């Protein structure tokens, strides 16, 4: 048996294991989606491909074409937009809670 044939045979034996790993990751993903706030879950969904990009370029030393830079630039711009919107929403929420607390304290 050649090395290539041995590799193919090994992959066929590993295929069910890869299926189990995929199912486990999807179950954890669905479980997280029900426990996390929608805005945070959405942000993490944007960050996942961006983080995969960083790993591919920095750690794995993958080559990268100009068209791919444009695509990931748009992904980062969308992620930044979501982060800014989330920060503004959080700031307003904290500010309104402080206003409600100060009115409640003044009434007592």
């Amino acid at each position: 048996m050649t090395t290539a044939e041995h590799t193919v045979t090994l992959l066929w034996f590993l295929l069910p294991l890869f299926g189990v790993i995929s199912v486990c990751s999807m179950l954890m993903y669905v479980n997280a989606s029900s426990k996390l706030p929608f805005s945070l879950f959405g942000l993490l969904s944007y960050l996942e491909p961006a983080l995969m990009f960083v790993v591919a370029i920095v750690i794995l030393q993958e080559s990268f074409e100009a068209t791919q830079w444009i695509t990931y630039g748009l992904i980062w711009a969308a992620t930044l937009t979501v982060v800014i919107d989330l920060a503004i929403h959080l700031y307003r929420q904290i500010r309104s809670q402080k206003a409600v607390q100060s009115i409640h304290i003044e009434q007592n």
Side-chain angles (χ1 to χ4, degrees):
M1 186 182 287
T2 66
T3 305
E5 291 172 338
H6 178 69
T7 302
V8 170
T9 304
L10 179 63
L11 287 176
W12 276 108
F13 284 113
L14 290 175
L15 191 60
L17 176 64
F18 296 150
V20 170
I21 291 170
S22 296
V23 167
C24 289
S25 70
M26 287 303 291
L27 288 174
M28 287 188 277
Y29 187 80
V30 169
N31 188 29
S33 72
S34 65
K35 294 183 190 267
L36 293 174
F38 186 70
S39 58
L40 178 59
F41 187 73
L43 176 63
L44 292 175
S45 296
Y46 271 108
L47 283 177
E48 179 186 3
L51 292 175
M52 289 175 65
F53 161 74
V54 170
V55 168
I57 296 298
V58 174
I59 296 174
L60 301 176
Q61 302 294 315
E62 291 287 331
S63 62
F64 212 65
E65 298 176 13
T67 56
Q68 293 170 314
W69 281 109
I70 294 169
T71 302
Y72 274 95
L74 293 172
I75 290 171
W76 278 104
T79 303
L80 185 62
T81 303
V82 171
V83 167
I84 290 170
D85 181 59
L86 184 62
I88 290 170
H89 177 71
L90 183 62
Y91 173 75
R92 288 179 181 163
Q93 186 177 10
I94 290 171
R95 192 175 65 187
S96 68
Q97 286 176 352
K98 286 183 179 180
V100 168
Q101 287 175 351
S102 66
I103 291 172
H104 181 70
I105 291 171
E106 289 174 4
Q107 290 177 352
N108 289 333

